[in-house]
């Protein structure tokens, strides 16, 4: 009876990514600022990042990733219900990045909006899309993470400017009736603590001509909170679904620092081959990092239909959360 029971779930039917052509190695960063490949690799695991050219805006990259996701799903743009764009580097204060992407995709039956939750943006956006799909508000949602952090980096601060990169990733989620053991988002868990706002923030705003803002971070403080809070969100996801770490096929973490990723993997007791790492190639692409990591795991064959993935992220806010997704 329980196995035959069907329920509405948000099922991933398409995935797309976009990375700027320009690759900036640690050696190139070391020519510009007082740093070294050794320091960056040892402290973060980062070896290179992509930096956007002037035409590669958040909307441009998000549209490229979104188009690829729609194509993979075989969904016509006019059939799309909604677009949610997780970004903290929008091109304008308004209109939203989402409406620019809607126009680029010719998806005129979709409504859209941006969601601001820094590096947790993609997990937050998945959660909102999941609720909209299960409530029957729309049949499909394009969830996009797109970021151009190179435009908000302070290149006079070597403690932050080596850590971030640009890129975009998108998933198409569609409402489908599936068996309990079938694919889709099983749960999402979101958290925020505004008391920690001052340890990671942008000291300006898109709307401020005099100072659009630079990223400011107390790295050690963020690090201190990261592993504990992420492990909490991950355990919450497992408990809510009566699962144990052994049930997880793949951890798809936000890619901020190799040491944080390994720390969470270790707490779960997962072997390295069940933890996706792309921070070496992409650095921290904030809201884009999880879909980029997911695409990498699809490409190497680890993320395949039927696999159970645990997604987690933490970022400015602080905000953090987790999502369990069966492909
Ligand atoms: O996605 C959003 C969430 N963000 C994160 O999760 C980031 C969390 N934090 C981190 O990943 C780490 O704290 C960092 C990678 C940012 C820094 O690593 P750390 O091991 O905490 O280093 P630190 O900030 O304590 O700095 C250690 C030393 C300092 O020198 P002194 O004071 O010990 O002489 C820094 O000045 O490393 C120095 N340093 C650098 N040296 C070479 C800082 N940045 C650099 C650099 N190159 N780029």
């Amino acid at each position: 009876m329980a196995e035959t029971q069907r329920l509405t779930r948000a099922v991933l039917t398409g995935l797309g990514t976009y990375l700027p052509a320009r690759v900036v190695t640690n050696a190139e960063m070391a020519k510009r600022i007082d740093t070294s490949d050794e320091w960056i690799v040892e402290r973060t695991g980062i070896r290179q990042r992509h930096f956007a050219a002037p035409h590669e805006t958040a909307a441009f990259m998000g549209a490229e990733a979104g188009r690829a996701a729609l194509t993979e799903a075989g969904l016509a743009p006019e059939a799309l219900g909604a677009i949610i764009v997780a970004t903290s580097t929008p091109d304008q204060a308004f209109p939203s990045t989402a409406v620019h992407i809607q126009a680029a995709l010719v998806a005129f039956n979709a409504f859209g909006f941006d969601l601001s939750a820094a590096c947790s943006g993609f997990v937050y956006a998945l959660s909102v899309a999941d609720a909209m799909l299960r409530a029957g508000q729309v049949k499909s949602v394009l969830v996009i993470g797109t970021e151009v952090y190179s435009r908000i980096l302070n290149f006079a601060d070597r403690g932050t400017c080596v850590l971030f990169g640009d890129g975009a990733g998108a998933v198409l989620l569609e409402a489908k009736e599936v068996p309990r053991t079938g694919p889709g988002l099983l749960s999402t868990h979101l958290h925020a603590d505004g008391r920690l706002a001052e340890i990671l923030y942008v000291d300006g705003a898109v709307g401020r001509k005099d100072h659009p803002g630079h990223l400011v971070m107390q790295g050690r403080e963020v690090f201190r909170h990261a592993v504990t809070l992420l492990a909490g969100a991950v355990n919450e996801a497992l408990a809510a679904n009566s699962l144990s770490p052994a049930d997880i096929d793949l951890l798809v973490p936000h890619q901020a620092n190799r040491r944080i990723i390994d720390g969470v993997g270790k707490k779960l007791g997962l072997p390295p081959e069940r933890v996706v790492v792309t921070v070496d190639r992409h650095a921290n692409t904030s809201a884009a990092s999880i879909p980029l990591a997911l695409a990498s795991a699809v490409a190497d064959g680890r993320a395949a239909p039927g696999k159970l993935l645990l997604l987690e992220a933490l970022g400015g806010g602080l905000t953090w959360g987790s999502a369990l997704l069966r492909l």
Side-chain angles (χ1 to χ4, degrees), residues 75-220:
L75 190 80
E78 58 271 21
L80 182 62
I83 301 169
I84 306 178
V85 177
T87 186
S88 36
T89 47
D91 309 324
Q92 293 170 285
F94 77 87
S96 65
T97 312
V99 300
H100 288 302
I101 292 175
Q102 184 237 39
L105 296 179
V106 199
F108 296 124
N109 293 311
F111 65 88
F113 58 92
D114 289 5
L115 184 155
S116 168
C119 297
S120 311
F122 193 77
V123 171
Y124 267 60
L126 283 181
S127 184
V128 175
D130 181 43
M132 283 166 30
L133 288 163
R134 284 191 295 108
Q137 187 180 8
V138 283
K139 290 250 173 295
S140 57
V141 184
L142 194 53
V143 176
I144 301 173
T146 181
E147 303 279 19
V148 276
Y149 266 52
S150 60
R151 310 236 162 99
I152 57 165
L153 292 176
N154 175 4
F155 286 94
D157 177 12
R158 67 177 183 169
T160 55
C161 71
V162 299
L163 305 175
F164 296 88
D166 303 333
V171 297
L172 184 72
L173 296 177
E174 293 185 71
K176 293 205 185 284
E177 296 290 309
V178 297
R180 192 165 286 282
T181 51
L185 271 170
L186 306 191
S187 69
T188 59
H189 290 88
L190 305 181
H191 295 279
D193 187 345
R195 288 169 299 184
L196 297 169
E198 78 280 4
I199 65 171
L200 177 50
Y201 62 97
V202 175
D203 64 353
V206 183
R208 276 186 54 183
K209 261 211 165 67
D210 60 323
H211 190 49
H214 282 137
L215 182 143
V216 183
M217 176 165 75
Q218 294 175 33
R220 214 177 289 182

Side-chain angles (χ1 to χ4, degrees), residues 155-291:
F155 286 94
D157 177 12
R158 67 177 183 169
T160 55
C161 71
V162 299
L163 305 175
F164 296 88
D166 303 333
V171 297
L172 184 72
L173 296 177
E174 293 185 71
K176 293 205 185 284
E177 296 290 309
V178 297
R180 192 165 286 282
T181 51
L185 271 170
L186 306 191
S187 69
T188 59
H189 290 88
L190 305 181
H191 295 279
D193 187 345
R195 288 169 299 184
L196 297 169
E198 78 280 4
I199 65 171
L200 177 50
Y201 62 97
V202 175
D203 64 353
V206 183
R208 276 186 54 183
K209 261 211 165 67
D210 60 323
H211 190 49
H214 282 137
L215 182 143
V216 183
M217 176 165 75
Q218 294 175 33
R220 214 177 289 182
E221 271 301 291
V222 176
F223 195 103
R224 202 168 63 78
H225 290 289
V227 178
T228 316
L229 294 177
L230 286 170
V234 155
N235 286 328
E236 194 179 16
L238 293 175
N241 294 277
S242 305
L243 295 169
S244 73
D247 298 312
I248 302 304
D249 291 308
L250 210 51
L251 182 69
V252 188
H254 167 53
Q255 306 284 317
N257 186 317
R258 178 78 202 241
R259 289 186 289 148
I260 297 173
I261 295 168
D262 290 346
V264 176
K266 217 170 176 182
K267 272 196 189 251
L268 283 171
L270 294 178
E273 63 272 18
R274 279 160 60 194
V275 180
V276 183
V277 177
T278 52
V279 71
D280 53 334
R281 287 166 280 153
H282 303 159
N284 182 346
T285 57
S286 190
S289 86
I290 288 180

